[in-house]
Amino acid sequence: MNKSRLLKDVLKFRYRHSKAATFLLRNENLLPVAQSVLSVMNKSKESSLPDNFQLLKGAKGDRVVFRVKPSQFNEDSFVVKVCPVFRFKHRLKYLLMKTCTLGFSEAANLIIAASRGLNVPKVYGYSSIYDSFRLTKMTVVILEDLSGYISVDELLKLNRGDEQKCAEILSRTIPVFVDLYNAKCNNIEINLHAVMLGDKGSNPDAFVLDFENAKFHNNRSSEILIFEAASFVKWTPYLLTKQLIDDWLAKLLDAIKVEDNTIRKKMIERFNYYCITKLHRKHRRKIYGDIV
């Protein structure tokens, strides 16, 4: 799939600010968002931001995430990810590997994920910002603001010590993994921060984030599912007891209808392996395994 064509098919409105900046937007109504973003491109300290910007994550020298309202009269807000490319050699590499680097792949992968039935933030815009050599020095992704949702990590911390409540929170994440499984997606960045849950009654109840390094396949894979499930819970032993994790995994296997005890035992063994094994990103991306 040509990801450049995919972005242009979905983000149909082209806004050329200058030779150094062109935005692809869903529609013309998003022009004020793009213009607001351009006005703060080199500002990463909260004290230097205008009132309609809120710094959510990051600092100078790193990826920066903002919440922005285009104007005081507009109720809608958006999340903006800014990904700088500082080193010249990295800018050259980005030129050669654009389709799998930085914000470009995040925007494209989120669009693919949505088309496969996953609840992900809607992509509203994308831009490459160029230097004087026409090399990308920064990418910008404009996303749906999930302000009414809270990460699983935060919810578990708020309910630490209440096993029944924590079990309920974990149970609400099971549809996320079933959807990832059915979407044939390997999201290697999934963790307790990457799944967002809404207030009771929210529709949808859960969103999944961070698709920069995700891969999509043509068939479902139980190995990928087990890898993702282990990645989700492995780094937070202080929040989750082994019993909570075991019960959650059992419910997940029930949800995808793994009834054969031999297969079930093998999947639990693989889960335990991934829980104690640290893999390099390139190995996480290559995981595929048997098809179920």
Side-chain angles (χ1 to χ4, degrees), residues 27-288:
N27 54 60
E28 190 175 359
N29 294 334
L30 291 160
L31 265 175
V33 185
Q35 291 166 342
S36 295
V37 171
L38 285 168
S39 71
V40 299
M41 275 293 90
N42 297 313
K43 298 177 181 179
S44 57
K45 292 184 178 179
E46 198 159 7
S47 59
S48 65
L49 294 174
D51 292 340
N52 61 326
F53 273 78
Q54 178 187 358
L55 182 63
L56 300 179
K57 183 180 178 182
K60 190 173 183 180
D62 194 6
R63 298 188 188 190
V64 181
V65 183
F66 300 107
R67 174 176 288 123
V68 57
K69 282 192 173 185
S71 73
Q72 60 180 326
F73 307 106
N74 196 321
E75 291 298 319
D76 294 328
S77 59
F78 301 86
V79 166
V80 178
K81 286 189 175 183
V82 179
C83 308
V85 188
F86 289 106
R87 295 188 178 182
F88 185 73
K89 67 177 182 179
H90 291 163
R91 294 183 186 185
L92 285 174
K93 183 179 178 181
Y94 189 87
L95 179 67
L96 299 173
M97 302 178 63
K98 180 179 178 181
T99 58
C100 60
T101 314
L102 292 174
F104 181 91
S105 54
E106 166 114 42
N109 285 340
L110 283 170
I111 291 170
I112 296 170
S115 73
R116 293 194 177 204
L118 289 166
N119 294 324
V120 296
K122 192 172 184 178
V123 179
Y124 285 103
Y126 170 79
S127 177
S128 286
I129 311 297
Y130 301 104
D131 62 17
S132 57
F133 298 101
R134 287 293 293 172
L135 297 175
T136 299
K137 68 175 184 179
M138 191 179 299
T139 62
V140 178
V141 184
I142 302 172
L143 299 169
E144 176 182 3
D145 183 10
L146 302 178
S147 59
Y149 290 75
I150 185 171
S151 73
V152 172
D153 180 73
E154 291 181 74
L155 281 173
L156 290 174
K157 286 177 180 175
L158 288 171
N159 293 278
R160 185 182 300 175
D162 187 334
E163 294 251 331
Q164 183 175 350
K165 187 66 177 175
C166 288
E168 178 189 330
I169 292 166
L170 277 184
S171 292
R172 291 172 63 191
T173 70
I174 289 175
V176 169
F177 291 89
V178 174
D179 288 347
L180 284 166
Y181 176 63
N182 289 329
K184 311 169 188 75
C185 176
N186 180 0
N187 181 350
I188 71 169
E189 306 295 349
I190 196 162
N191 54 51
L192 295 181
H193 299 278
V195 177
M196 309 285 287
L197 298 178
D199 297 329
K200 288 186 177 180
S202 298
N203 186 24
D205 182 52
F207 279 86
V208 60
L209 315 177
D210 297 335
F211 279 77
E212 183 77 58
N213 294 290
K215 291 189 71 175
F216 297 90
H217 300 281
N218 294 324
N219 298 291
R220 297 187 302 186
S221 167
S222 59
E223 188 75 6
I224 287 176
L225 173 68
I226 289 303
F227 160 72
E228 290 174 325
S231 299
F232 184 62
V233 299
K234 70 188 293 183
W235 301 115
T236 52
Y238 60 93
L239 287 177
L240 301 170
T241 64
K242 187 177 186 306
Q243 189 61 55
L244 271 177
I245 292 172
D246 289 346
D247 291 346
W248 173 76
L249 179 60
K251 290 179 182 178
L252 177 56
L253 296 180
D254 289 342
I256 63 165
K257 298 181 170 53
V258 180
E259 298 173 352
D260 185 286
N261 285 333
T262 301
I263 296 175
R264 199 176 179 100
K265 182 179 178 181
K266 181 181 177 182
M267 293 177 73
I268 293 172
E269 288 174 353
R270 296 301 291 166
F271 175 84
N272 291 332
Y273 165 76
Y274 284 127
C275 277
I276 62 173
T277 305
K278 186 175 182 179
L279 299 173
H280 189 275
R281 179 176 292 170
K282 67 180 181 181
H283 295 133
R284 286 182 279 151
R285 285 174 62 88
K286 287 180 180 177
I287 289 170
Y288 197 70

Side-chain angles (χ1 to χ4, degrees), residues 1-35:
M1 179 182 295
N2 186 313
K3 291 186 176 181
S4 293
R5 174 48 53 192
L6 176 67
L7 282 182
K8 290 175 182 177
D9 286 346
V10 174
L11 308 176
K12 296 179 182 293
F13 183 79
R14 184 181 178 90
Y15 167 54
R16 185 178 175 87
H17 176 264
S18 66
K19 289 183 179 180
T22 300
F23 275 81
L24 299 178
L25 304 168
R26 279 194 178 256
N27 54 60
E28 190 175 359
N29 294 334
L30 291 160
L31 265 175
V33 185
Q35 291 166 342

